[in-house]
Amino acid sequence: MSGFSHGGPGGDAVDAVSLRGATPGDLWRWSQETSQRLGEVYERILDAGTPQACRADAPEFLRLTRRLLALRLTVVAAGRRLAFEQRVPPADGVAVAALWAEVFWAARAESPDDDSGVLEEADASIRGLLGLSTVDLTGLHAVTAWWARLQQVEQTFDGLEMQAQVALEARRELYEHELERRRLNTP
């Protein structure tokens, strides 16, 4: 059951074929739609507040969580590839674990002295989210705890995207400054 208004990823897994040719705008829109649907599933679980609701909606919650991670990481990895020197090999395909490994190690290479623990927390959360099964989401407390961890991961992704955007803007300004300098020095 896709429910998506686009020709993008609608199955259980996001794969390279479904993302081939997708624009950054497509990826952003698909991640927003997936996030909205995931929020609706989460709200449905909260509103029902029963273990039965948790069990009934756990498969959809997990499917959408994994889709959201794949979409967001595809965007984050692409942005960071443009913004920073590629110090680690690019991920092969769009498997969440491979994309996250690329982003994680590239971010560590950019900031080796960062001891904030943000990347490590996101790493633990992503690994946990990928390892979840429906039996792990049989209670309201478990669902809300994993939802909170997913929100923290999203904040980390936002920070990584912002970092890449700032780097791209700085590079663009430097390029424009260099063009202007050359133009002024040309007789």
Side-chain angles (χ1 to χ4, degrees), residues 45-88:
I45 292 170
L46 287 182
D47 289 345
T50 65
Q52 294 83 2
C54 294
R55 281 191 295 277
D57 288 319
E60 182 77 352
F61 183 88
L62 290 175
R63 186 175 63 78
L64 291 170
T65 295
R66 291 176 180 136
R67 180 184 297 154
L68 181 62
L69 289 172
L71 288 166
R72 291 284 282 127
L73 273 167
T74 299
V75 172
V76 170
R80 294 187 65 84
R81 287 176 197 144
L82 288 173
F84 300 107
E85 177 185 332
Q86 191 68 25
R87 297 181 183 185
V88 297

